[in-house]
Amino acid sequence: MPKEIEIQIRFNDLDGYGHVNNAVYLSYCEIARTNCYSDIFHNSIENKMWFILTSAEVHYKKFLKLEDKAFVKLWLSSAKGALFTFEYEIHNGNGVIYAAAKTTHAVYDAVKNKPVRVPQAVIDEVETL
């Protein structure tokens, strides 16, 4: 089920042209991901189960400016083996899409010191929040 949060664009996010810097879009995705799923992430860390970012991609569609409204919608798009993927849409709430993004993460067991299958309990919890 998709989740959505509003992002406050800060002056610090801007590049010399007055647009949100391209790298900041991934920070917005991270903010949305940790905001929506912080309880799951904290519980996993306590249980020595880490979610490690393995890849990130962003497809830029329209630039963001300081005065723009920005929302990040995210959802779990796949979970297979040790990997799971979130997809994101950064938009203004009125149909304008600024970017689409995707991050893939590996589940790493710090006790066993190796990647492990995504626990079904984590998948279920992410999908029901």
Side-chain angles (χ1 to χ4, degrees):
M1 170 176 256
K3 303 288 174 213
E4 186 169 274
I5 68 161
E6 185 170 4
I7 296 290
Q8 178 64 49
I9 299 172
R10 303 163 301 171
F11 182 78
N12 187 45
D13 296 343
L14 305 180
D15 60 20
Y17 301 106
H19 307 138
V20 171
N21 182 283
N22 287 359
V24 174
Y25 286 73
L26 285 171
S27 293
Y28 292 167
C29 293
E30 179 184 25
I31 290 166
R33 190 174 62 247
T34 55
N35 181 288
C36 292
Y37 302 114
S38 62
D39 289 343
I40 296 170
F41 296 144
H42 288 298
N43 290 339
S44 295
I45 290 169
E46 288 175 7
N47 292 319
K48 307 290 188 211
M49 192 75 59
W50 301 341
F51 301 145
I52 300 170
L53 181 69
T54 61
S55 68
E57 61 183 74
V58 181
H59 298 275
Y60 303 99
K61 301 182 182 291
K62 184 173 173 49
F63 59 80
L64 270 164
K65 300 180 301 280
L66 184 62
E67 64 272 11
D68 290 329
K69 283 265 193 194
F71 298 87
V72 179
K73 179 169 67 172
L74 71 150
W75 60 96
L76 180 69
S77 63
S78 70
K80 182 187 270 186
L83 300 176
F84 62 98
T85 301
F86 284 109
E87 291 191 43
Y88 310 83
E89 184 179 86
I90 300 170
H91 63 93
N92 74 346
N94 290 316
V96 175
I97 298 172
Y98 300 112
K102 183 188 299 189
T103 58
T104 300
H105 310 260
V107 180
Y108 186 82
D109 186 319
V111 175
K112 295 178 182 176
N113 201 29
K114 67 177 188 174
V116 295
R117 180 174 294 281
V118 180
Q120 186 61 46
V122 170
I123 296 169
D124 293 343
E125 196 169 355
V126 166
E127 289 179 339
T128 58
L129 284 179

